[in-house]
Amino acid sequence: MLYFSVPLGKLVRRVSRLRGGGSALPGLVVEKIDSGFMQRTLATLPLGVAVVSGTNGKTTTTKMVVELLESQGLKVFTNRTGSNFTRGVAAALLGEVDWRGRLDADIAVLELDEAHAVHFVNKVPPRYCLLLNVLRDQLDRFGEIDKTADLLQHIASKTTGTVVLNREDPRVARIAVSLAAPAAGGPEVRYFGLDDSLLSTFPNDDDMRSAPGSPVPDAPAKPAADVVLRRVGPADADFDYDGATVSTPMKLRGVYNIFNAAAALTLARAIAAVRGTATDHAGLLKALGNVAPAFGRGESLVVDGLPLDLVLVKNPSGFRLGLKSFPAAGYATMIAINDNYADGRDMSWLWDVEFDTLREGGVDQLTGSRAYDMALRLQYDDVAIGAVDTEIAPALAAFIRGAKDRPKRIFCTYTAMLAIRRELSKITTVEVVS
């Protein structure tokens, strides 16, 4: 049956792209005129829908899961732009369906914002979900982190097949207690985790809020994990699963991305196990090793013959791990902080990040709507500042001119990253994500 909403939505998508409009606008239009479009389209997929949610790491983890499943010969639909509201999913679907609304895929792997995921799963119960972490982020939208945990619990409760949980995050791991057992119609639960030697590298929110030297409460015994990250090297990693340790080179940089690789591997193994053919484990590892960073998440571009790295930061944990994963020595540094809706309006979290690693080289340029808030925060950590300009385009141009002979790194919030990529596309090759 031909629904007029599909050709109309495709037309809006084409016009929007020609005018440089937002990637989610066509999805908003089709949601208004055909509320059943998304549910009707995704219901045709043989392996159903997998939802990836949590505070940090959704975009890169989703990208990894997609590439792992494609290594197994599956056709995967995903929302590549990282527009993780329901209208973003609808817009991505419009780009993939034919004029009759048919989607040629085996499974959908969707990154979803925690709050919007609740609306999505009420319409489209997922067969799989992967829940990464619960950290303080955009408190003006979500409130306290226990509310975020409740949102993730709702996603799990609507999942019909397999729920994958982070056993190292107590708020995520506790979700398993609320789920019915498989024998009573509940989902299978799998975990991903860390070797004890890596726990201090990935503090959960309670760990970050605890004072140094404070007593650690007794923790319940950890469940066995399907995949455990054993070791992180400069360009490789070790994972434990099926009773053995396997090593693989990694193109991804950033310790947080490598932990997310364990999450992606767990979900991909769960999906591959039910499709009716043998899993190609060597293919999974090869695909994992070849995954490149998602746009803006440790993405490395080339400007003036030298690398320019974009590192997304949006909460204390992400900024801390970004600073740890990408040392400042030898790099010119810029920080771009916006407070638009997609970034979160409350920037008080900047005071929960230690910037002492930037003290030696200083920060060459600050920009974004909250550049002066960032400047004040850096002054308290005795970090020298080169220049401040709230307008991103001239600030970026000045940064590039002033650091012409050095590699460059920019730590940026989400909307600042999008603006920076648009400016960089005028002078270098930038992957177009649509």
Side-chain angles (χ1 to χ4, degrees):
M1 180 176 179
L2 176 63
Y3 291 84
F4 77 93
S5 57
V6 175
L8 178 59
K10 282 182 170 289
L11 177 62
V12 172
R13 184 175 186 270
R14 180 173 296 178
V15 172
S16 178
R17 293 184 67 185
L18 288 173
R19 298 185 61 183
S23 62
L25 175 61
L28 182 61
V29 171
V30 80
E31 278 188 331
K32 293 291 186 184
I33 62 176
D34 183 3
S35 60
F37 165 71
M38 192 165 54
Q39 182 178 7
R40 185 175 64 246
T41 306
L42 294 175
T44 65
L45 300 178
L47 294 178
V49 174
V51 167
V52 179
S53 196
T55 308
N56 279 3
K58 295 184 288 292
T59 300
T60 300
T61 304
T62 300
K63 187 174 189 290
M64 283 190 276
V65 173
V66 170
E67 295 187 27
L68 289 173
L69 294 178
E70 288 176 341
S71 78
Q72 304 299 295
L74 294 175
K75 294 179 182 179
V76 185
F77 164 75
T78 190
N79 49 335
R80 290 188 68 243
T81 65
S83 181
N84 54 28
F85 294 1
T86 53
R87 59 181 177 265
V89 175
L93 278 170
L94 285 170
E96 296 294 327
V97 297
D98 64 18
W99 289 94
R100 293 183 175 275
R102 294 175 299 195
L103 179 63
D104 183 20
D106 299 305
I107 188 171
V109 179
L110 304 174
E111 168 195 351
L112 287 171
D113 163 273
E114 298 95 305
H116 282 259
V118 168
H119 300 296
F120 176 88
V121 300
N122 287 339
K123 293 182 177 180
V124 185
R127 185 169 178 180
Y128 307 92
C129 75
L130 167 56
L131 307 179
L132 294 167
N133 41 55
V134 176
L135 297 159
R136 283 177 304 131
D137 181 58
Q138 300 193 35
L139 296 183
D140 51 300
R141 286 183 58 212
F142 293 129
E144 291 301 320
I145 59 174
D146 288 330
K147 174 63 182 301
T148 306
D150 290 342
L151 297 174
L152 297 185
Q153 190 277 330
H154 184 80
I155 299 168
S157 72
K158 293 291 186 178
T159 301
T160 62
T162 300
V163 172
V164 177
L165 302 175
N166 177 357
R167 76 170 185 189
E168 313 305 346
D169 187 313
R171 287 177 177 81
V172 174
R174 277 200 298 268
I175 290 172
V177 178
S178 69
L179 303 175
E188 173 195 22
V189 177
R190 296 193 183 198
Y191 298 89
F192 63 98
L194 294 166
D195 184 77
D196 287 349
S197 64
L198 294 174
L199 290 175
S200 62
T201 302
F202 300 92
N204 59 54
D205 196 84
D206 291 338
D207 294 333
M208 288 193 295
R209 302 285 283 174
S210 300
S214 59
V216 178
D218 293 334
K222 289 183 182 180
D226 185 73
V227 177
V228 173
L229 175 61
R230 176 70 63 189
R231 181 189 64 85
V232 178
D236 65 345
D238 294 348
F239 300 92
D240 286 357
Y241 61 86
D242 292 343
T245 300
V246 297
S247 299
T248 181
M250 299 290 297
K251 286 185 179 178
L252 288 171
R253 295 179 300 158
V255 291
Y256 49 90
N257 281 333
I258 310 304
F259 187 29
N260 291 337
L265 194 55
T266 305
L267 178 58
R269 281 165 48 83
I271 295 170
V274 301
R275 66 186 182 127
T277 59
T279 301
D280 176 9
H281 292 286
L284 281 177
L285 286 179
K286 183 178 179 181
L288 188 64
N290 285 329
V291 176
F295 74 103
R297 280 80 169 175
E299 178 183 24
S300 189
L301 309 173
V302 177
V303 174
D304 295 330
L306 292 167
L308 185 152
D309 298 339
L310 294 176
V311 182
L312 178 68
V313 295
K314 63 191 189 78
N315 52 43
S317 174
F319 215 148
R320 288 182 182 192
L321 287 171
L323 291 168
K324 183 172 186 175
S325 299
F326 300 94
Y331 277 74
T333 301
M334 173 170 152
I335 301 178
I337 304 294
N338 275 353
D339 65 346
N340 297 319
Y341 177 77
D343 306 297
R345 306 307 301 269
D346 183 355
M347 288 290 125
S348 63
W349 61 265
L350 291 172
W351 293 88
D352 295 318
V353 183
E354 293 81 30
F355 294 96
D356 53 289
T357 57
L358 299 176
R359 194 173 294 152
E360 182 175 347
V363 174
D364 298 80
Q365 182 76 52
L366 295 176
T367 190
S369 57
R370 300 296 285 269
Y372 285 99
D373 298 73
M374 189 71 246
L376 178 63
R377 176 67 190 93
L378 292 176
Q379 287 178 1
Y380 272 80
D381 274 2
D382 297 319
V383 177
I385 301 164
V388 181
D389 186 342
T390 57
E391 295 298 320
I392 287 177
L396 178 63
F399 174 62
I400 291 172
R401 285 195 306 271
K404 189 166 186 176
D405 298 323
R406 288 183 290 164
K408 304 159 191 66
R409 183 167 294 128
I410 303 175
F411 297 95
C412 44
T413 57
Y414 181 71
T415 65
M417 179 265 290
L418 295 179
I420 288 167
R421 290 182 94 253
R422 283 195 297 270
E423 292 300 314
L424 289 173
S425 69
K426 301 172 184 178
I427 61 173
T428 189
T429 301
V430 176
E431 180 191 9
V432 176
V433 180
S434 61

